[in-house]
Amino acid sequence: MLLFRMVSYLLGHLVILVTGETPEKFVNMAASRGICLWDITRVKDGALLMKVRLSSVRALRHIARRTRCRFRICRRMGLPFYYSRLRRRKALVLGAVF
């Protein structure tokens, strides 16, 4: 489990909110295509909150269309997002180095 968390942090992962009539069908279709979803929790009727790797988001768009669900990115986590924030704040990086 620790190795899975470390790889997910290095590659980046997202917390998404899936809404629609049948979000369970969305999860089943993603699992059948080999997309790894974890920490799936039901927020309310017709809405699920879950985590997914950054590389799988493009495939989820097609699944969302077929199941008539929508997903919204709630949170971005991992090294790629942290790196992009640091690239915008070059003075902070230079101050940390010196």
Side-chain angles (χ1 to χ4, degrees):
M1 191 67 187
L2 179 65
L3 183 63
F4 180 76
R5 282 187 176 177
M6 288 176 62
V7 170
S8 293
Y9 180 77
L10 289 174
L11 297 177
H13 64 276
L14 307 167
V15 176
I16 61 171
L17 178 69
V18 178
T19 56
E21 295 177 13
T22 56
E24 295 85 8
K25 188 175 180 182
F26 179 89
V27 172
N28 291 335
M29 206 172 211
S32 70
R33 292 188 182 193
I35 298 172
C36 186
L37 303 171
W38 69 97
D39 289 346
I40 301 171
T41 56
R42 181 175 296 278
V43 179
K44 58 183 176 182
D45 191 34
L48 295 174
L49 194 67
M50 62 190 78
K51 293 181 181 177
V52 64
R53 285 214 177 127
L54 181 61
S55 59
S56 302
V57 174
R58 189 173 298 269
L60 287 180
R61 291 178 58 216
H62 301 294
I63 294 171
R65 279 191 205 120
R66 295 188 106 203
T67 59
R68 295 189 194 127
C69 291
R70 296 180 144 233
F71 70 90
R72 192 182 86 210
I73 299 171
C74 297
R75 191 168 174 202
R76 296 171 172 94
M77 295 183 280
L79 198 61
F81 302 111
Y82 186 68
Y83 178 71
S84 68
R85 272 185 255 140
L86 285 179
R87 281 185 56 192
R88 284 183 265 144
R89 301 178 71 185
K90 293 179 175 102
L92 178 67
V93 174
L94 288 174
V97 170
F98 291 118

